[in-house]
């Protein structure tokens, strides 16, 4: 324990706690890309709808809701990208191996 000398003033300190909230990504651009180019079973459009919902929740201040909608949009975007890529690859394989032309 530190002893203070008589006649001295103890030092005061102020601690400012700044909340480090991680920004919630809404995946609107990725969803728009999947809507325009890889809209297999309308997954891109549904992902776009969830992305817009996530952005709306973020503007209102509901970060939990925004994160939930963003997570759903991310999963739908991944599915749309995988299914769209597989469909494109299968079409290329079928068209290049088909000897009927």
């Amino acid at each position: 324990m530190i002893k203070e000398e008589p006649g001295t003033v103890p030092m005061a300190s102020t601690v400012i706690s700044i909340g480090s909230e991680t920004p919630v990504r809404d995946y609107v651009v990725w969803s728009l890309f999947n809507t325009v180019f890889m809209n297999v079973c309308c997954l891109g459009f549904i992902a776009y709808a969830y992305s817009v919902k996530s952005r709306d929740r973020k503007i209102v201040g509901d970060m939990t809701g925004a994160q939930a909608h963003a997570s759903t949009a991310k999963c739908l975007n991944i599915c749309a990208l995988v299914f769209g890529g597989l469909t494109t690859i299968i079409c290329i394989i079928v068209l290049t191996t088909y000897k009927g032309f």
Side-chain angles (χ1 to χ4, degrees):
M1 189 161 176
I2 300 173
K3 294 184 179 181
E4 295 180 14
E5 294 190 26
T8 61
V9 179
M11 289 189 63
S13 63
T14 303
V15 178
I16 299 173
S17 177
I18 299 173
S20 61
E21 288 187 23
T22 57
V24 177
R25 298 191 59 192
D26 51 19
Y27 305 107
V28 171
V29 176
W30 188 14
S31 300
L32 190 61
F33 173 81
N34 283 334
T35 299
V36 173
F37 295 109
M38 306 226 173
N39 202 14
V40 179
C41 298
C42 295
L43 288 176
F45 180 72
I46 297 169
Y48 183 72
Y50 274 99
S51 296
V52 171
K53 284 182 182 182
S54 173
R55 183 170 280 186
D56 290 343
R57 293 283 95 202
K58 187 167 48 171
I59 289 172
V60 171
D62 179 17
M63 292 303 166
T64 305
Q67 184 63 41
H69 289 307
S71 176
T72 303
K74 181 179 178 181
C75 290
L76 288 170
N77 279 321
I78 291 171
C79 291
L81 194 63
V82 168
F83 291 149
L86 287 175
T87 302
T88 304
I89 291 170
I90 289 171
C91 286
I92 290 171
I93 290 172
V94 167
L95 290 175
T96 56
T97 59
Y98 183 65
K99 304 270 186 206
F101 291 121

